[in-house]
Amino acid sequence: LSHDSGIAVGVITALQFAPILLLSAWAGLLADRVPRRALMFGTQAAQGLLAVGLGILVLGGHVQLWHVAIFATLLGCVSAIDAPVRQIFVAELVPMEKLSNAVGLNSASFHASRMIGPGLAGLLIAAVGPGWVFIINGASFVATIVVLFLMRSQLMHRLPRAPRASGQIREGLRYVRNRSDIIVIFCVVSVVSTFGLNFQLTSAMMARVEFGRGPGEYGLLGSVMAIGSVAGALLAARRERPRVRLVVGAAFGFGIAEGVLALMPNYAWFAVACIPVGFASLTMMTAANTAIQMTTEPTMRGRVMALYMIVFLGATPVGSPIVGWIAEVFGPRWSLGVGAITALLVAAGAPLWARRRWDVTIHYHGGLPPRVELRNAAVAGDSPEDGEARPAALEGPVDPTPPD
């Protein structure tokens, strides 16, 4: 349908994620107000029906590019509502003392599926064709709905819900604005996501254009990347209190790994180089997600996670067409190169900003990521200006001890 056009692929990807920019703030408030399991019943069913509908069009031979664009937009609308509630629902499934690891595992699952899914889809397209892949995807939502139905509500740990009041979206924005640690995470994740996490586009263009391979080889790249992705996700999930410095360090590592990936001379070496890219990206994303959830008030968590989804997934409509244009005009390697360069720049800039804002020192060790250390322990108790909430994710929720 796209005739190997990077721009067309980028535009369809942008349409899928654009509704997140428009709807996520209201979706986050919805997640804070209404019963979360009931909301997930609706969003999971809607996503399954959309996948099956597109699959029927493809199998019938009637699908056009504009059909795909409409379905991508509708899916984006449903996903905008589903993303924040799915992220915070895990807190109702475990006791408080297990929340950190549960949030980490949930984040690992979310981000690993985002990394592994396109590659697995490529393998299935080669095996059964694109129409049946959509049908299989739609059928997979049945399992989620059944699991939600079988959950025993009496064993769940209900989170408090936000009461109805005016100005609650503005309240969420003010909360984030007064949390400089969350702002740093947002900035790092936003830049890396915009220009670096477009693997459904960059890997496809590298496999198809640079190496002359088909859907099967593209799918294999995703499977190989999954080796590093799962390892990075599980390692991050083991941490009880992920910190800002882990997010920044992982972004720096991602920039190095993706730069190396762009220089690989052939398909085999490119596949091997996908492993550290998957490791670094999942470490960053899982640490960022967990750090934000663990340091946010329960009644505010839906709105904060919705804003996080805006900077994480909502960056895709901005980045995908740009990266697609770069791949088409300058070649697929530069579509990876721009992601590497921007990741390194934001990873270097975040500690410099923290040095002024949080009263810290920065240590550089050769080619290793910069290490951030507090100059005085008062920062952990909070010394930011204008009543700003302390950077809890930097030093942990309650531990004022300076990092090693």
Side-chain angles (χ1 to χ4, degrees):
L1 294 175
S2 65
H3 303 290
D4 296 331
S5 171
I7 295 176
V9 175
V11 168
I12 293 297
T13 303
L15 288 173
Q16 182 178 342
F17 292 102
I20 293 174
L21 293 172
L22 303 175
L23 302 178
S24 282
W26 286 269
L29 180 58
L30 196 64
D32 282 334
R33 278 184 177 177
V34 306
R36 296 171 181 95
R37 185 165 66 155
L39 187 57
M40 287 186 65
F41 271 120
T43 58
Q44 295 296 303
Q47 290 179 86
L49 290 173
L50 286 171
V52 171
L54 184 55
I56 292 172
L57 277 178
V58 174
L59 290 175
H62 306 300
V63 69
Q64 302 292 326
L65 190 59
W66 65 271
H67 291 140
V68 179
I70 291 175
F71 274 89
T73 304
L74 292 174
L75 179 61
C77 293
V78 178
S79 297
I81 299 172
D82 178 73
V85 68
R86 183 156 41 90
Q87 291 296 303
I88 65 174
F89 181 63
V90 66
E92 297 192 345
L93 303 180
V94 297
M96 186 63 189
E97 62 271 16
K98 301 294 184 182
L99 181 58
S100 177
N101 299 113
V103 169
L105 288 171
N106 180 63
S107 177
S109 170
F110 170 75
H111 291 301
S113 63
R114 186 171 183 261
M115 300 280 290
I116 298 168
L120 179 59
L123 292 174
L124 288 173
I125 288 172
V128 298
W132 283 109
V133 171
F134 286 117
I135 299 295
I136 292 170
N137 181 40
S140 69
F141 285 95
V142 174
T144 306
I145 294 171
V146 170
V147 169
L148 286 171
F149 180 77
L150 293 177
M151 288 180 179
R152 290 176 288 179
S153 58
Q154 66 272 22
L155 298 180
M156 297 175 65
H157 304 265
R158 302 291 187 184
L159 291 178
R161 297 203 296 267
R164 291 182 176 274
S166 61
Q168 287 182 302
I169 293 177
R170 292 193 300 273
E171 182 185 8
L173 292 171
R174 284 195 300 270
Y175 182 88
V176 171
R177 186 183 63 197
N178 290 329
R179 286 284 303 275
S180 57
D181 56 325
I182 292 180
I183 291 175
V184 170
I185 294 175
F186 277 18
C187 290
V188 171
V189 171
S190 175
V191 172
V192 175
S193 177
T194 299
F195 299 105
L197 300 181
N198 294 284
F199 299 119
Q200 74 277 13
L201 167 61
T202 55
S203 293
M205 293 296 289
M206 286 294 293
R208 177 70 181 89
V209 178
E210 192 70 21
F211 301 124
R213 305 301 177 102
E217 288 83 358
Y218 160 66
L220 183 60
L221 292 177
S223 300
V224 173
M225 187 176 290
I227 298 172
S229 300
V230 172
L234 294 178
L235 182 63
R238 289 183 59 191
R239 295 177 177 268
E240 293 189 359
R241 286 180 291 184
R243 303 175 180 181
V244 172
R245 64 183 183 185
L246 176 60
V247 178
V248 175
F252 186 92
F254 173 82
I256 296 294
E258 188 162 42
V260 172
L261 183 67
L263 299 175
M264 289 297 99
N266 55 51
Y267 176 84
W269 279 108
F270 185 86
V272 172
C274 284
I275 296 175
V277 172
F279 179 86
S281 59
L282 260 294
T283 298
M284 181 198 72
M285 292 184 287
T286 302
N289 189 310
T290 308
I292 291 172
Q293 289 210 55
M294 288 302 300
T295 60
T296 301
E297 293 292 332
T299 56
M300 192 68 66
R301 195 171 294 163
R303 280 163 282 179
V304 173
M305 288 308 298
L307 293 173
Y308 173 73
M309 290 295 118
I310 289 176
V311 301
F312 174 55
L313 296 178
T316 303
V318 178
S320 290
I322 296 173
V323 173
W325 176 80
I326 290 172
E328 196 163 298
V329 175
F330 299 101
R333 292 186 185 276
W334 274 107
S335 67
L336 294 168
V338 70
I341 293 168
T342 52
L344 292 173
L345 288 175
V346 74
L352 295 176
W353 186 87
R355 182 180 184 180
R356 297 197 313 270
R357 190 75 173 183
W358 293 336
D359 192 26
V360 297
T361 56
I362 306 168
H363 298 270
Y364 294 91
H365 302 276
L368 297 176
R371 185 162 64 95
V372 180
E373 292 187 352
L374 288 169
R375 282 203 295 269
N376 68 73
V379 176
D382 192 26
S383 59
E385 302 172 354
D386 301 324
E388 179 178 303
R390 73 180 181 89
L394 176 69
E395 294 304 310
V398 296
D399 182 10
T401 307
D404 297 333

